[in-house]
Amino acid sequence: MTKPNIQTPTSEKSTRKNELKALGFIIFLLFPALTIAGISIYGFIIWMFQAFGGVVGH
C-alpha cells in the first residue's frame, strides 16, 4: 500500500523559500545580466558596421 502524498507546513515553507530564491536570482542577477549583454551586443554590432562600412552620413 502506498502512503498518501501530504504536504506538511515545513515543506510549504521550503517551497516558498526556494521560490523566493529563484525570484531573487531572476530579478537581481538574470535580468540585469541579460540587459547588459543585449546592450553590449547591440553596441558591438553598430561598432562593426561603422568599422567596416564607414560612418553613415546624414
Side-chain angles (χ1 to χ4, degrees):
M1 199 175 269
T2 60
K3 218 176 183 183
N5 189 7
I6 300 172
Q7 288 189 350
T8 60
T10 56
S11 67
E12 289 177 10
K13 284 184 180 180
S14 177
T15 302
R16 183 172 173 85
K17 188 174 180 181
N18 287 339
E19 288 178 0
L20 288 174
K21 282 183 183 179
L23 181 65
F25 171 76
I26 290 170
I27 290 174
F28 294 111
L29 293 175
L30 188 63
F31 282 167
L34 289 175
T35 302
I36 291 169
I39 292 170
S40 299
I41 290 169
Y42 178 73
F44 181 77
I45 290 170
I46 298 298
W47 181 46
M48 284 293 113
F49 272 126
Q50 289 180 354
F52 292 110
V55 179
V56 178
H58 291 280

